[in-house]
Amino acid sequence: MHRMSNATVMASLIVGISSWAYYHNLTAYHVQISNDILHAFAGSMASALSMTLLYPLETVRTQVQVDSSRSGSSLRILYEIATDKNRGITSLYQGLHSLVLALVCLNFVYFYCFRATRRWLEEHVVIHGLSLESVTDDVSKQHRVAIDLMAGYLAGVLGVLLTAPLWLVNTRLKLQGLKCKSKNTVQENKQYDGISHCMYTVAKEEGISSLYNGTFASIVLALNPAIQLGVYELLKRSNTLVDKTSGPFVNALLAKFLATMVTYPIQLLQTRHRAAIASVHTKQQRSGWKHELQTMMQHHGVRGLYRGLETKLLQTLLNSGFMFLIYEHLVDFLKTIFSTSEQ
């Protein structure tokens, strides 16, 4: 609650400053930047609210990915964790603060950079010697998808580099106290007192570079939000599948499904790497990505690369749907405030 109140105060200041800039008739560039901040704030708050609502499924997804002993449906595993006498229902919310903090930071950067980068590309990209604005509508629509993908990927990479340690800390906090089992190994994760203690302990015992474990995969996985937002914007522009009320939820769900199916194996390897889970049949705690992939393929086959997919889809599709639904309504609400302050 304390973090959310701080975020609300910061957001109020941002909206106030942006409204003041618009009111005093500053340049069009400054007005556009204010609009980018509006979308960035809406995206960051929407992601935090949606994840808070569905966080238990995120915890289940992480445990299924790193613990070979976990099996069964998502609801069954959720029940097992909640009724475990040694852990209890509160364990479903381990690491919530760190994830909300990471999401707020990441999505503020992501939505801001996405809109700013897309605007720059639309103004400067040249297609066959012609600017995007001078080509026909059909050609413009085709290349607008490519621009959305490029802008989404570049924004995702920047967001990853700025927030990588927070994602590693979140993974460790969610798994603390859990005994992760592979075929021949049992590894019990350490206990931490919070975000700062976890970050300090990892940096001290494993080196500062360990805070960026999984960052290479995250850079590759920037394709996930790029694909998601590119497809979402395409569906939003076409506006043919669903009505305006349910559009954001359904469009986001379809876009996230495609993005997740394409990138899930990399997400699985990344989670195991961040959790510092020992590779199967080896005492080496963190092996290279190539070795980790070969080991999983050898002992689990292709299906092993999609371990936990059911839980991931359930969590990420609902999260994405609710997030964009909240995002679109929040943007409309903030634009109403802006138009009022303009008068």
Side-chain angles (χ1 to χ4, degrees), residues 62 65-67 167-169 171-173 175 178 180-182 185-190 192 202 205-206 210-211 213-214 268-280 282-287 289 292:
T62 303
Q65 286 184 333
V66 302
D67 188 357
W167 292 103
L168 179 132
V169 167
T171 300
R172 297 293 181 92
L173 290 176
L175 297 174
L178 177 68
C180 298
K181 301 176 183 178
S182 292
T185 60
V186 177
Q187 177 180 325
E188 184 169 358
N189 288 279
K190 297 179 180 179
Y192 303 101
V202 172
E205 297 181 359
E206 303 175 34
S210 294
L211 291 172
N213 281 346
L268 175 64
L269 294 175
Q270 179 195 51
T271 300
R272 294 180 64 86
H273 204 60
R274 279 177 171 163
I277 299 301
S279 298
V280 180
T282 180
K283 295 182 179 180
Q284 184 180 359
Q285 190 178 42
R286 285 191 300 272
S287 56
W289 291 100
E292 184 74 27

mmCIF file of all heavy atoms in Angstrom, residues 62 65-67 167-169 171-173 175 178 180-182 185-190 192 202 205-206 210-211 213-214 268-280 282-287 289 292:
data_model
loop_
_atom_site.group_PDB
_atom_site.id
_atom_site.type_symbol
_atom_site.label_atom_id
_atom_site.label_comp_id
_atom_site.label_asym_id
_atom_site.label_seq_id
_atom_site.Cartn_x
_atom_site.Cartn_y
_atom_site.Cartn_z
ATOM 1 N N THR A 62 6.037 -20.033 -11.822
ATOM 2 C CA THR A 62 7.468 -20.050 -11.537
ATOM 3 C C THR A 62 7.890 -21.364 -10.891
ATOM 4 O O THR A 62 8.911 -21.957 -11.260
ATOM 5 C CB THR A 62 7.845 -18.878 -10.604
ATOM 6 O OG1 THR A 62 7.449 -17.650 -11.226
ATOM 7 C CG2 THR A 62 9.344 -18.843 -10.352
ATOM 8 N N GLN A 65 7.979 -24.272 -13.343
ATOM 9 C CA GLN A 65 9.096 -24.196 -14.281
ATOM 10 C C GLN A 65 10.408 -24.692 -13.667
ATOM 11 O O GLN A 65 11.239 -25.267 -14.360
ATOM 12 C CB GLN A 65 9.269 -22.758 -14.775
ATOM 13 C CG GLN A 65 8.206 -22.335 -15.776
ATOM 14 C CD GLN A 65 8.465 -20.940 -16.316
ATOM 15 O OE1 GLN A 65 9.086 -20.106 -15.666
ATOM 16 N NE2 GLN A 65 7.974 -20.673 -17.512
ATOM 17 N N VAL A 66 10.613 -24.470 -12.369
ATOM 18 C CA VAL A 66 11.896 -24.806 -11.767
ATOM 19 C C VAL A 66 11.873 -26.071 -10.915
ATOM 20 O O VAL A 66 12.929 -26.611 -10.570
ATOM 21 C CB VAL A 66 12.420 -23.634 -10.892
ATOM 22 C CG1 VAL A 66 12.564 -22.375 -11.719
ATOM 23 C CG2 VAL A 66 11.513 -23.388 -9.685
ATOM 24 N N ASP A 67 10.695 -26.570 -10.557
ATOM 25 C CA ASP A 67 10.590 -27.734 -9.681
ATOM 26 C C ASP A 67 9.990 -28.914 -10.445
ATOM 27 O O ASP A 67 8.806 -28.916 -10.759
ATOM 28 C CB ASP A 67 9.724 -27.387 -8.468
ATOM 29 C CG ASP A 67 9.722 -28.488 -7.414
ATOM 30 O OD1 ASP A 67 10.352 -29.542 -7.667
ATOM 31 O OD2 ASP A 67 9.106 -28.302 -6.356
ATOM 32 N N TRP A 167 13.929 -8.159 -11.622
ATOM 33 C CA TRP A 167 13.306 -9.411 -12.049
ATOM 34 C C TRP A 167 14.004 -10.615 -11.425
ATOM 35 O O TRP A 167 13.359 -11.592 -11.044
ATOM 36 C CB TRP A 167 13.328 -9.516 -13.583
ATOM 37 C CG TRP A 167 12.434 -8.510 -14.225
ATOM 38 C CD1 TRP A 167 12.804 -7.346 -14.835
ATOM 39 C CD2 TRP A 167 11.009 -8.539 -14.281
ATOM 40 N NE1 TRP A 167 11.700 -6.660 -15.271
ATOM 41 C CE2 TRP A 167 10.583 -7.359 -14.954
ATOM 42 C CE3 TRP A 167 10.052 -9.442 -13.838
ATOM 43 C CZ2 TRP A 167 9.251 -7.083 -15.177
ATOM 44 C CZ3 TRP A 167 8.719 -9.152 -14.069
ATOM 45 C CH2 TRP A 167 8.322 -7.993 -14.731
ATOM 46 N N LEU A 168 15.324 -10.555 -11.322
ATOM 47 C CA LEU A 168 16.050 -11.643 -10.664
ATOM 48 C C LEU A 168 15.656 -11.725 -9.192
ATOM 49 O O LEU A 168 15.413 -12.817 -8.664
ATOM 50 C CB LEU A 168 17.561 -11.435 -10.786
ATOM 51 C CG LEU A 168 18.390 -12.531 -10.099
ATOM 52 C CD1 LEU A 168 19.482 -13.049 -11.011
ATOM 53 C CD2 LEU A 168 18.983 -12.032 -8.786
ATOM 54 N N VAL A 169 15.578 -10.576 -8.525
ATOM 55 C CA VAL A 169 15.184 -10.552 -7.118
ATOM 56 C C VAL A 169 13.788 -11.129 -6.944
ATOM 57 O O VAL A 169 13.532 -11.902 -6.016
ATOM 58 C CB VAL A 169 15.240 -9.099 -6.572
ATOM 59 C CG1 VAL A 169 14.530 -9.001 -5.226
ATOM 60 C CG2 VAL A 169 16.686 -8.653 -6.428
ATOM 61 N N THR A 171 12.278 -13.402 -8.770
ATOM 62 C CA THR A 171 12.340 -14.858 -8.917
ATOM 63 C C THR A 171 12.860 -15.505 -7.645
ATOM 64 O O THR A 171 12.310 -16.513 -7.170
ATOM 65 C CB THR A 171 13.243 -15.246 -10.103
ATOM 66 O OG1 THR A 171 12.718 -14.670 -11.300
ATOM 67 C CG2 THR A 171 13.302 -16.759 -10.267
ATOM 68 N N ARG A 172 13.918 -14.949 -7.056
ATOM 69 C CA ARG A 172 14.487 -15.508 -5.825
ATOM 70 C C ARG A 172 13.490 -15.426 -4.667
ATOM 71 O O ARG A 172 13.373 -16.360 -3.870
ATOM 72 C CB ARG A 172 15.772 -14.762 -5.460
ATOM 73 C CG ARG A 172 16.899 -14.895 -6.494
ATOM 74 C CD ARG A 172 17.430 -16.315 -6.571
ATOM 75 N NE ARG A 172 18.505 -16.415 -7.545
ATOM 76 C CZ ARG A 172 19.797 -16.272 -7.257
ATOM 77 N NH1 ARG A 172 20.179 -15.994 -6.016
ATOM 78 N NH2 ARG A 172 20.713 -16.398 -8.203
ATOM 79 N N LEU A 173 12.789 -14.313 -4.552
ATOM 80 C CA LEU A 173 11.842 -14.148 -3.450
ATOM 81 C C LEU A 173 10.666 -15.112 -3.572
ATOM 82 O O LEU A 173 10.167 -15.630 -2.575
ATOM 83 C CB LEU A 173 11.324 -12.705 -3.405
ATOM 84 C CG LEU A 173 12.333 -11.633 -2.964
ATOM 85 C CD1 LEU A 173 11.699 -10.251 -3.054
ATOM 86 C CD2 LEU A 173 12.830 -11.899 -1.550
ATOM 87 N N LEU A 175 10.764 -18.044 -4.763
ATOM 88 C CA LEU A 175 11.208 -19.428 -4.565
ATOM 89 C C LEU A 175 11.879 -19.656 -3.219
ATOM 90 O O LEU A 175 12.303 -20.775 -2.941
ATOM 91 C CB LEU A 175 12.183 -19.821 -5.686
ATOM 92 C CG LEU A 175 11.604 -19.824 -7.099
ATOM 93 C CD1 LEU A 175 12.694 -20.081 -8.114
ATOM 94 C CD2 LEU A 175 10.496 -20.860 -7.227
ATOM 95 N N LEU A 178 11.690 -22.921 -0.910
ATOM 96 C CA LEU A 178 11.180 -24.033 -1.717
ATOM 97 C C LEU A 178 12.301 -24.988 -2.071
ATOM 98 O O LEU A 178 13.384 -24.571 -2.486
ATOM 99 C CB LEU A 178 10.552 -23.501 -3.008
ATOM 100 C CG LEU A 178 10.029 -24.544 -4.001
ATOM 101 C CD1 LEU A 178 8.813 -25.259 -3.434
ATOM 102 C CD2 LEU A 178 9.691 -23.890 -5.336
ATOM 103 N N CYS A 180 13.631 -27.246 -4.639
ATOM 104 C CA CYS A 180 13.461 -27.507 -6.075
ATOM 105 C C CYS A 180 14.121 -28.824 -6.431
ATOM 106 O O CYS A 180 15.307 -29.015 -6.163
ATOM 107 C CB CYS A 180 14.060 -26.373 -6.899
ATOM 108 S SG CYS A 180 13.255 -24.789 -6.592
ATOM 109 N N LYS A 181 13.385 -29.712 -7.038
ATOM 110 C CA LYS A 181 13.880 -31.050 -7.327
ATOM 111 C C LYS A 181 14.063 -31.266 -8.822
ATOM 112 O O LYS A 181 13.200 -30.939 -9.620
ATOM 113 C CB LYS A 181 12.905 -32.109 -6.796
ATOM 114 C CG LYS A 181 12.666 -32.019 -5.297
ATOM 115 C CD LYS A 181 11.630 -33.032 -4.853
ATOM 116 C CE LYS A 181 11.337 -32.900 -3.356
ATOM 117 N NZ LYS A 181 10.297 -33.852 -2.919
ATOM 118 N N SER A 182 15.231 -31.814 -9.174
ATOM 119 C CA SER A 182 15.455 -32.342 -10.502
ATOM 120 C C SER A 182 15.604 -33.847 -10.327
ATOM 121 O O SER A 182 15.428 -34.371 -9.230
ATOM 122 C CB SER A 182 16.705 -31.713 -11.125
ATOM 123 O OG SER A 182 16.467 -30.342 -11.389
ATOM 124 N N THR A 185 18.901 -34.225 -8.129
ATOM 125 C CA THR A 185 19.319 -33.143 -7.242
ATOM 126 C C THR A 185 18.137 -32.564 -6.482
ATOM 127 O O THR A 185 17.012 -32.559 -6.976
ATOM 128 C CB THR A 185 19.993 -32.006 -8.033
ATOM 129 O OG1 THR A 185 19.067 -31.495 -8.989
ATOM 130 C CG2 THR A 185 21.247 -32.492 -8.731
ATOM 131 N N VAL A 186 18.410 -32.109 -5.271
ATOM 132 C CA VAL A 186 17.433 -31.377 -4.477
ATOM 133 C C VAL A 186 18.121 -30.124 -3.973
ATOM 134 O O VAL A 186 19.136 -30.199 -3.289
ATOM 135 C CB VAL A 186 16.914 -32.192 -3.278
ATOM 136 C CG1 VAL A 186 15.949 -31.338 -2.453
ATOM 137 C CG2 VAL A 186 16.225 -33.460 -3.745
ATOM 138 N N GLN A 187 17.577 -28.964 -4.309
ATOM 139 C CA GLN A 187 18.207 -27.710 -3.937
ATOM 140 C C GLN A 187 17.205 -26.836 -3.201
ATOM 141 O O GLN A 187 16.116 -26.568 -3.687
ATOM 142 C CB GLN A 187 18.702 -26.973 -5.191
ATOM 143 C CG GLN A 187 19.309 -25.610 -4.898
ATOM 144 C CD GLN A 187 19.772 -24.949 -6.170
ATOM 145 O OE1 GLN A 187 20.235 -25.609 -7.097
ATOM 146 N NE2 GLN A 187 19.647 -23.630 -6.222
ATOM 147 N N GLU A 188 17.570 -26.421 -1.960
ATOM 148 C CA GLU A 188 16.690 -25.557 -1.187
ATOM 149 C C GLU A 188 17.133 -24.110 -1.355
ATOM 150 O O GLU A 188 18.293 -23.779 -1.116
ATOM 151 C CB GLU A 188 16.712 -25.940 0.295
ATOM 152 C CG GLU A 188 15.732 -25.130 1.119
ATOM 153 C CD GLU A 188 15.549 -25.677 2.522
ATOM 154 O OE1 GLU A 188 16.165 -26.710 2.836
ATOM 155 O OE2 GLU A 188 14.793 -25.067 3.291
ATOM 156 N N ASN A 189 16.202 -23.253 -1.752
ATOM 157 C CA ASN A 189 16.530 -21.851 -1.983
ATOM 158 C C ASN A 189 16.650 -21.090 -0.668
ATOM 159 O O ASN A 189 16.024 -21.433 0.338
ATOM 160 C CB ASN A 189 15.462 -21.207 -2.871
ATOM 161 C CG ASN A 189 15.567 -21.686 -4.298
ATOM 162 O OD1 ASN A 189 16.384 -21.205 -5.055
ATOM 163 N ND2 ASN A 189 14.754 -22.669 -4.658
ATOM 164 N N LYS A 190 17.465 -20.050 -0.674
ATOM 165 C CA LYS A 190 17.744 -19.272 0.525
ATOM 166 C C LYS A 190 16.550 -18.406 0.931
ATOM 167 O O LYS A 190 15.644 -18.154 0.157
ATOM 168 C CB LYS A 190 18.971 -18.387 0.282
ATOM 169 C CG LYS A 190 20.243 -19.160 0.006
ATOM 170 C CD LYS A 190 21.403 -18.202 -0.255
ATOM 171 C CE LYS A 190 22.680 -18.976 -0.532
ATOM 172 N NZ LYS A 190 23.826 -18.082 -0.806
ATOM 173 N N TYR A 192 15.297 -14.667 2.309
ATOM 174 C CA TYR A 192 15.689 -13.266 2.238
ATOM 175 C C TYR A 192 14.702 -12.420 3.041
ATOM 176 O O TYR A 192 13.550 -12.812 3.243
ATOM 177 C CB TYR A 192 15.724 -12.783 0.785
ATOM 178 C CG TYR A 192 16.638 -13.586 -0.111
ATOM 179 C CD1 TYR A 192 16.123 -14.562 -0.970
ATOM 180 C CD2 TYR A 192 18.008 -13.380 -0.108
ATOM 181 C CE1 TYR A 192 16.964 -15.297 -1.801
ATOM 182 C CE2 TYR A 192 18.859 -14.102 -0.942
ATOM 183 C CZ TYR A 192 18.320 -15.069 -1.775
ATOM 184 O OH TYR A 192 19.151 -15.791 -2.590
ATOM 185 N N VAL A 202 22.752 -11.438 -3.035
ATOM 186 C CA VAL A 202 23.140 -11.992 -4.338
ATOM 187 C C VAL A 202 24.416 -11.324 -4.835
ATOM 188 O O VAL A 202 25.347 -11.989 -5.311
ATOM 189 C CB VAL A 202 22.007 -11.818 -5.370
ATOM 190 C CG1 VAL A 202 22.485 -12.211 -6.768
ATOM 191 C CG2 VAL A 202 20.797 -12.666 -4.987
ATOM 192 N N GLU A 205 27.442 -12.535 -2.444
ATOM 193 C CA GLU A 205 27.817 -13.947 -2.490
ATOM 194 C C GLU A 205 28.069 -14.465 -3.902
ATOM 195 O O GLU A 205 28.846 -15.395 -4.090
ATOM 196 C CB GLU A 205 26.734 -14.802 -1.817
ATOM 197 C CG GLU A 205 26.551 -14.490 -0.338
ATOM 198 C CD GLU A 205 25.493 -15.372 0.308
ATOM 199 O OE1 GLU A 205 24.893 -16.202 -0.424
ATOM 200 O OE2 GLU A 205 25.268 -15.228 1.526
ATOM 201 N N GLU A 206 27.392 -13.881 -4.890
ATOM 202 C CA GLU A 206 27.499 -14.406 -6.253
ATOM 203 C C GLU A 206 28.111 -13.408 -7.237
ATOM 204 O O GLU A 206 28.363 -13.761 -8.386
ATOM 205 C CB GLU A 206 26.109 -14.830 -6.756
ATOM 206 C CG GLU A 206 25.426 -15.856 -5.858
ATOM 207 C CD GLU A 206 24.013 -16.160 -6.321
ATOM 208 O OE1 GLU A 206 23.780 -16.136 -7.553
ATOM 209 O OE2 GLU A 206 23.145 -16.402 -5.463
ATOM 210 N N SER A 210 25.814 -11.281 -11.215
ATOM 211 C CA SER A 210 24.746 -12.260 -11.042
ATOM 212 C C SER A 210 23.369 -11.600 -11.006
ATOM 213 O O SER A 210 22.354 -12.253 -11.267
ATOM 214 C CB SER A 210 24.958 -13.059 -9.746
ATOM 215 O OG SER A 210 26.118 -13.851 -9.833
ATOM 216 N N LEU A 211 23.330 -10.317 -10.663
ATOM 217 C CA LEU A 211 22.060 -9.602 -10.664
ATOM 218 C C LEU A 211 21.480 -9.497 -12.067
ATOM 219 O O LEU A 211 20.294 -9.190 -12.235
ATOM 220 C CB LEU A 211 22.242 -8.194 -10.079
ATOM 221 C CG LEU A 211 22.554 -8.120 -8.578
ATOM 222 C CD1 LEU A 211 22.897 -6.695 -8.183
ATOM 223 C CD2 LEU A 211 21.370 -8.622 -7.765
ATOM 224 N N ASN A 213 21.707 -12.100 -14.251
ATOM 225 C CA ASN A 213 21.476 -13.437 -14.796
ATOM 226 C C ASN A 213 20.165 -13.455 -15.579
ATOM 227 O O ASN A 213 19.143 -12.971 -15.099
ATOM 228 C CB ASN A 213 21.382 -14.474 -13.659
ATOM 229 C CG ASN A 213 22.737 -14.865 -13.124
ATOM 230 O OD1 ASN A 213 23.755 -14.584 -13.746
ATOM 231 N ND2 ASN A 213 22.760 -15.502 -11.971
ATOM 232 N N GLY A 214 20.208 -14.009 -16.755
ATOM 233 C CA GLY A 214 19.007 -14.078 -17.576
ATOM 234 C C GLY A 214 18.759 -12.839 -18.414
ATOM 235 O O GLY A 214 17.766 -12.773 -19.137
ATOM 236 N N LEU A 268 11.284 -20.215 -20.198
ATOM 237 C CA LEU A 268 11.543 -21.328 -19.274
ATOM 238 C C LEU A 268 13.013 -21.386 -18.884
ATOM 239 O O LEU A 268 13.355 -21.496 -17.696
ATOM 240 C CB LEU A 268 11.115 -22.646 -19.928
ATOM 241 C CG LEU A 268 11.425 -23.930 -19.143
ATOM 242 C CD1 LEU A 268 10.646 -23.948 -17.836
ATOM 243 C CD2 LEU A 268 11.099 -25.159 -19.965
ATOM 244 N N LEU A 269 13.904 -21.325 -19.859
ATOM 245 C CA LEU A 269 15.340 -21.362 -19.588
ATOM 246 C C LEU A 269 15.765 -20.156 -18.755
ATOM 247 O O LEU A 269 16.610 -20.263 -17.860
ATOM 248 C CB LEU A 269 16.124 -21.401 -20.902
ATOM 249 C CG LEU A 269 15.946 -22.665 -21.753
ATOM 250 C CD1 LEU A 269 16.684 -22.512 -23.074
ATOM 251 C CD2 LEU A 269 16.454 -23.898 -21.009
ATOM 252 N N GLN A 270 15.180 -19.015 -19.028
ATOM 253 C CA GLN A 270 15.520 -17.800 -18.288
ATOM 254 C C GLN A 270 15.139 -17.931 -16.815
ATOM 255 O O GLN A 270 15.907 -17.550 -15.926
ATOM 256 C CB GLN A 270 14.799 -16.604 -18.902
ATOM 257 C CG GLN A 270 15.070 -15.295 -18.188
ATOM 258 C CD GLN A 270 14.073 -14.221 -18.579
ATOM 259 O OE1 GLN A 270 12.864 -14.445 -18.528
ATOM 260 N NE2 GLN A 270 14.556 -13.074 -18.983
ATOM 261 N N THR A 271 13.944 -18.458 -16.537
ATOM 262 C CA THR A 271 13.492 -18.607 -15.155
ATOM 263 C C THR A 271 14.411 -19.531 -14.375
ATOM 264 O O THR A 271 14.788 -19.251 -13.231
ATOM 265 C CB THR A 271 12.056 -19.159 -15.121
ATOM 266 O OG1 THR A 271 11.182 -18.251 -15.801
ATOM 267 C CG2 THR A 271 11.563 -19.323 -13.686
ATOM 268 N N ARG A 272 14.814 -20.641 -14.982
ATOM 269 C CA ARG A 272 15.712 -21.579 -14.314
ATOM 270 C C ARG A 272 17.077 -20.946 -14.082
ATOM 271 O O ARG A 272 17.717 -21.173 -13.050
ATOM 272 C CB ARG A 272 15.852 -22.851 -15.146
ATOM 273 C CG ARG A 272 14.560 -23.661 -15.265
ATOM 274 C CD ARG A 272 14.756 -24.918 -16.108
ATOM 275 N NE ARG A 272 15.700 -25.823 -15.477
ATOM 276 C CZ ARG A 272 15.368 -26.734 -14.551
ATOM 277 N NH1 ARG A 272 14.115 -26.835 -14.138
ATOM 278 N NH2 ARG A 272 16.279 -27.531 -14.031
ATOM 279 N N HIS A 273 17.524 -20.136 -15.008
ATOM 280 C CA HIS A 273 18.828 -19.491 -14.869
ATOM 281 C C HIS A 273 18.796 -18.461 -13.741
ATOM 282 O O HIS A 273 19.732 -18.375 -12.934
ATOM 283 C CB HIS A 273 19.202 -18.815 -16.188
ATOM 284 C CG HIS A 273 20.677 -18.622 -16.372
ATOM 285 N ND1 HIS A 273 21.568 -19.667 -16.398
ATOM 286 C CD2 HIS A 273 21.412 -17.501 -16.528
ATOM 287 C CE1 HIS A 273 22.793 -19.196 -16.569
ATOM 288 N NE2 HIS A 273 22.722 -17.876 -16.647
ATOM 289 N N ARG A 274 17.735 -17.681 -13.673
ATOM 290 C CA ARG A 274 17.619 -16.686 -12.614
ATOM 291 C C ARG A 274 17.476 -17.323 -11.238
ATOM 292 O O ARG A 274 17.952 -16.792 -10.236
ATOM 293 C CB ARG A 274 16.404 -15.785 -12.877
ATOM 294 C CG ARG A 274 16.674 -14.690 -13.891
ATOM 295 C CD ARG A 274 15.420 -13.886 -14.154
ATOM 296 N NE ARG A 274 15.717 -12.706 -14.948
ATOM 297 C CZ ARG A 274 14.801 -12.004 -15.593
ATOM 298 N NH1 ARG A 274 13.536 -12.384 -15.548
ATOM 299 N NH2 ARG A 274 15.135 -10.932 -16.281
ATOM 300 N N ALA A 275 16.806 -18.469 -11.189
ATOM 301 C CA ALA A 275 16.608 -19.151 -9.915
ATOM 302 C C ALA A 275 17.868 -19.856 -9.448
ATOM 303 O O ALA A 275 17.934 -20.340 -8.325
ATOM 304 C CB ALA A 275 15.464 -20.164 -10.034
ATOM 305 N N ALA A 276 18.882 -19.946 -10.313
ATOM 306 C CA ALA A 276 20.151 -20.625 -10.003
ATOM 307 C C ALA A 276 19.911 -22.086 -9.706
ATOM 308 O O ALA A 276 20.495 -22.669 -8.792
ATOM 309 C CB ALA A 276 20.862 -19.954 -8.829
ATOM 310 N N ILE A 277 19.026 -22.713 -10.503
ATOM 311 C CA ILE A 277 18.739 -24.131 -10.325
ATOM 312 C C ILE A 277 19.830 -24.958 -10.970
ATOM 313 O O ILE A 277 20.240 -24.707 -12.103
ATOM 314 C CB ILE A 277 17.379 -24.500 -10.971
ATOM 315 C CG1 ILE A 277 16.266 -23.696 -10.298
ATOM 316 C CG2 ILE A 277 17.108 -25.983 -10.863
ATOM 317 C CD1 ILE A 277 16.142 -23.929 -8.819
ATOM 318 N N ALA A 278 20.303 -25.967 -10.260
ATOM 319 C CA ALA A 278 21.353 -26.834 -10.790
ATOM 320 C C ALA A 278 20.852 -27.602 -11.992
ATOM 321 O O ALA A 278 19.711 -28.044 -12.037
ATOM 322 C CB ALA A 278 21.815 -27.806 -9.711
ATOM 323 N N SER A 279 21.693 -27.779 -12.978
ATOM 324 C CA SER A 279 21.326 -28.536 -14.165
ATOM 325 C C SER A 279 21.166 -30.002 -13.813
ATOM 326 O O SER A 279 21.776 -30.518 -12.887
ATOM 327 C CB SER A 279 22.403 -28.395 -15.245
ATOM 328 O OG SER A 279 22.518 -27.047 -15.622
ATOM 329 N N VAL A 280 20.331 -30.700 -14.535
ATOM 330 C CA VAL A 280 20.095 -32.105 -14.293
ATOM 331 C C VAL A 280 21.377 -32.906 -14.506
ATOM 332 O O VAL A 280 22.098 -32.698 -15.483
ATOM 333 C CB VAL A 280 18.989 -32.626 -15.247
ATOM 334 C CG1 VAL A 280 18.736 -34.102 -15.010
ATOM 335 C CG2 VAL A 280 17.717 -31.827 -15.061
ATOM 336 N N THR A 282 24.206 -32.819 -13.017
ATOM 337 C CA THR A 282 25.476 -32.124 -12.901
ATOM 338 C C THR A 282 25.500 -31.320 -11.628
ATOM 339 O O THR A 282 24.463 -30.880 -11.141
ATOM 340 C CB THR A 282 25.737 -31.176 -14.098
ATOM 341 O OG1 THR A 282 26.999 -30.548 -13.892
ATOM 342 C CG2 THR A 282 24.661 -30.115 -14.221
ATOM 343 N N LYS A 283 26.673 -31.125 -11.058
ATOM 344 C CA LYS A 283 26.814 -30.344 -9.840
ATOM 345 C C LYS A 283 27.046 -28.872 -10.147
ATOM 346 O O LYS A 283 27.099 -28.050 -9.260
ATOM 347 C CB LYS A 283 27.976 -30.885 -8.998
ATOM 348 C CG LYS A 283 27.724 -32.298 -8.480
ATOM 349 C CD LYS A 283 28.889 -32.767 -7.618
ATOM 350 C CE LYS A 283 28.633 -34.171 -7.073
ATOM 351 N NZ LYS A 283 29.758 -34.645 -6.243
ATOM 352 N N GLN A 284 27.211 -28.544 -11.384
ATOM 353 C CA GLN A 284 27.416 -27.151 -11.763
ATOM 354 C C GLN A 284 26.105 -26.396 -11.620
ATOM 355 O O GLN A 284 25.087 -26.770 -12.195
ATOM 356 C CB GLN A 284 27.895 -27.060 -13.214
ATOM 357 C CG GLN A 284 28.227 -25.634 -13.648
ATOM 358 C CD GLN A 284 28.705 -25.595 -15.084
ATOM 359 O OE1 GLN A 284 28.804 -26.620 -15.733
ATOM 360 N NE2 GLN A 284 28.999 -24.402 -15.558
ATOM 361 N N GLN A 285 26.133 -25.327 -10.800
ATOM 362 C CA GLN A 285 24.878 -24.651 -10.483
ATOM 363 C C GLN A 285 24.304 -23.901 -11.673
ATOM 364 O O GLN A 285 23.122 -23.941 -11.929
ATOM 365 C CB GLN A 285 25.091 -23.679 -9.314
ATOM 366 C CG GLN A 285 23.787 -23.129 -8.765
ATOM 367 C CD GLN A 285 24.006 -22.216 -7.591
ATOM 368 O OE1 GLN A 285 24.906 -21.397 -7.578
ATOM 369 N NE2 GLN A 285 23.177 -22.361 -6.578
ATOM 370 N N ARG A 286 25.139 -23.203 -12.395
ATOM 371 C CA ARG A 286 24.647 -22.459 -13.555
ATOM 372 C C ARG A 286 25.472 -22.814 -14.774
ATOM 373 O O ARG A 286 26.649 -22.467 -14.870
ATOM 374 C CB ARG A 286 24.710 -20.948 -13.298
ATOM 375 C CG ARG A 286 23.648 -20.433 -12.375
ATOM 376 C CD ARG A 286 23.620 -18.909 -12.394
ATOM 377 N NE ARG A 286 24.880 -18.339 -11.976
ATOM 378 C CZ ARG A 286 25.192 -18.079 -10.725
ATOM 379 N NH1 ARG A 286 24.339 -18.358 -9.763
ATOM 380 N NH2 ARG A 286 26.349 -17.539 -10.413
ATOM 381 N N SER A 287 24.880 -23.509 -15.684
ATOM 382 C CA SER A 287 25.558 -23.867 -16.918
ATOM 383 C C SER A 287 25.174 -22.870 -17.993
ATOM 384 O O SER A 287 24.307 -22.038 -17.812
ATOM 385 C CB SER A 287 25.150 -25.280 -17.335
ATOM 386 O OG SER A 287 23.752 -25.365 -17.460
ATOM 387 N N TRP A 289 23.653 -21.433 -21.611
ATOM 388 C CA TRP A 289 22.332 -21.612 -22.214
ATOM 389 C C TRP A 289 22.293 -22.818 -23.150
ATOM 390 O O TRP A 289 21.317 -23.569 -23.159
ATOM 391 C CB TRP A 289 21.959 -20.345 -22.993
ATOM 392 C CG TRP A 289 21.708 -19.177 -22.110
ATOM 393 C CD1 TRP A 289 22.573 -18.156 -21.826
ATOM 394 C CD2 TRP A 289 20.535 -18.923 -21.347
ATOM 395 N NE1 TRP A 289 21.998 -17.277 -20.951
ATOM 396 C CE2 TRP A 289 20.746 -17.720 -20.638
ATOM 397 C CE3 TRP A 289 19.320 -19.601 -21.197
ATOM 398 C CZ2 TRP A 289 19.791 -17.172 -19.791
ATOM 399 C CZ3 TRP A 289 18.369 -19.052 -20.354
ATOM 400 C CH2 TRP A 289 18.599 -17.869 -19.663
ATOM 401 N N GLU A 292 22.234 -25.979 -21.039
ATOM 402 C CA GLU A 292 20.930 -26.101 -20.369
ATOM 403 C C GLU A 292 19.876 -26.599 -21.355
ATOM 404 O O GLU A 292 19.061 -27.466 -21.039
ATOM 405 C CB GLU A 292 20.513 -24.751 -19.799
ATOM 406 C CG GLU A 292 19.217 -24.777 -19.004
ATOM 407 C CD GLU A 292 19.361 -25.429 -17.647
ATOM 408 O OE1 GLU A 292 20.474 -25.416 -17.084
ATOM 409 O OE2 GLU A 292 18.349 -25.975 -17.168
#
